[in-house]
Amino acid sequence: MGASPTLISSVQRAFRLLEAASAHENGAPAKQLARETGLPLGTAYHLLRTLVHDGYLRKLDDGGFVLGDRLQSLHSGGLGQTMIGRVRPALSALRDELSSAAYLTLYEDGEIRVSEIVDGPRAPRVDLWVGFEDAGHATALGKAVLRELDDEERKDYLSRHTLNDLTPHTVTTAVELVRRLETASLAPAMTDLEEYALGTVCVAVPVHSGSMLGSIGVSMPRSRLDRLDEIRDRLVPTAGRITRTLSLTM
C-alpha cells in the first residue's frame, strides 16, 4: 500500500520549507518562509515546529529559522557516514543498557555537530532547543571534543563561538571553561550538569579515527546524578572499542 496523498503532500511541503530556509544563511521568520513557499501560515508554523523538534531546522533567538544540526549531518558523507553506521550499534547498546538516549557528535569544519541520536520511549532525547554548534561549551559531548583539541584549535573554536548563558549552571567564560576541561575529575569523560538544559545531566567521552574526532555520550534525568561514575566506566571501554574498530577498518 502506498503512502497517502495527505502524507505525500506534507513531505513535499516540508521539503519546500527546508529549501526556502537554506536560502537564508542568517535565518528567515515563519511568515517569510510561508510566503516564499506559498503555504498557509498555520501550516507553515506546524511544519516548522516539527522540523525544529526533529533537528532539521533550528530556531534562532530572533525567531528566524536556519538549517539544523541533523540536516547538516546528512552532508558529512564519506568517512563520517561510515563512522555513523559503525557506531550506531554501540549507541543502541548504550541506550538499552543504561536506559538513556545515546548520541554521537563529529567535529567537522571547525564545528561540533550532532550526527546520530539513538533514543526510545524509555530513553527520550534531550530537547535540542539550542543547536550544538552554538552550545559546545555547555554540553558533555561538546566538551569531550574541546578537551581533545590542541591549544591553537581550541582557541580558534572559542574565538568563533559566544559562550551563551543557557542555564544558571552554564560556564560563560573561556578561562573557566578551559580550567574545567583540564581538571575534569572523570577525564577523559566530560559532564554536563544541567548546563544545557535544566533537569538533564549528560556524560560523554571522545572517539577518534585518524583525523576524525568526535564524541559519544548519554543523557539522563538529574535524579540519576549518582550514577555518573558507573556511566563513565561503561562509556570509556565502548569508546575504545569504537576507536579500534574504525582504525582497523578505515
Side-chain angles (χ1 to χ4, degrees):
M1 182 179 296
S4 70
T6 299
L7 177 58
I8 292 173
S9 62
S10 293
V11 172
Q12 291 172 333
R13 290 168 179 170
F15 278 133
R16 283 157 58 189
L17 284 169
L18 289 172
E19 289 173 353
S22 70
H24 300 280
E25 184 176 347
N26 297 318
K31 289 183 179 179
Q32 181 176 352
L33 294 175
R35 184 171 61 251
E36 291 179 357
T37 55
L39 295 175
L41 185 56
T43 299
Y45 272 128
H46 173 73
L47 290 171
L48 289 168
R49 282 195 298 269
T50 300
L51 291 167
V52 168
H53 178 269
D54 289 341
Y56 293 105
L57 287 178
R58 178 159 55 91
K59 189 174 184 180
L60 304 176
D61 291 340
D62 63 5
F65 293 87
V66 295
L67 297 182
D69 294 327
R70 192 171 180 86
L71 185 62
Q72 291 177 0
S73 73
L74 297 176
H75 297 287
S76 56
L79 178 59
Q81 287 301 311
T82 302
M83 182 178 187
I84 292 169
R86 290 173 179 163
V87 171
R88 190 177 292 113
L91 297 182
S92 297
L94 288 172
R95 177 200 60 193
D96 296 341
E97 181 177 338
L98 301 175
S99 297
S100 302
Y103 307 79
L104 166 71
T105 65
L106 295 177
Y107 186 63
E108 303 173 308
D109 302 322
E111 301 293 346
I112 301 168
R113 294 171 176 155
V114 177
S115 296
E116 185 67 9
I117 302 175
V118 177
D119 58 359
R122 295 180 56 199
R125 69 181 65 185
V126 66
D127 179 17
L128 302 181
W129 72 284
V130 175
F132 266 54
E133 289 189 22
D134 299 317
H137 65 294
T139 66
L141 291 154
K143 287 187 283 185
V145 170
L146 291 175
R147 187 177 183 277
E148 295 299 300
L149 299 179
D150 62 33
D151 289 343
E152 183 176 344
E153 290 175 315
R154 191 186 298 158
K155 286 179 182 178
D156 174 68
Y157 177 90
L158 294 175
S159 71
R160 295 183 287 104
H161 295 81
T162 301
L163 306 188
N164 295 308
D165 186 5
L166 305 182
T167 79
H169 306 289
T170 308
V171 173
T172 57
T173 67
V175 171
E176 176 62 14
L177 176 63
V178 171
R179 186 190 73 79
R180 295 195 184 191
L181 293 176
E182 294 177 346
T183 61
S185 61
L186 295 180
M190 297 301 301
T191 59
D192 155 17
L193 306 180
E194 298 186 279
E195 297 158 55
Y196 179 78
L198 291 176
T200 298
V201 298
C202 305
V203 185
V205 295
V207 291
H208 301 266
S209 176
S211 62
M212 177 76 72
L213 170 64
S215 61
I216 60 169
V218 295
S219 64
M220 68 210 79
R222 185 186 184 281
S223 59
R224 297 171 64 189
L225 192 61
D226 60 348
R227 296 188 61 191
L228 292 186
D229 287 340
E230 171 194 344
I231 291 168
R232 173 199 181 275
D233 291 343
R234 180 67 177 83
L235 285 173
V236 170
T238 298
R241 286 194 296 272
I242 288 172
T243 294
R244 288 193 297 274
T245 298
L246 294 173
S247 297
L248 289 172
T249 57
M250 290 188 179

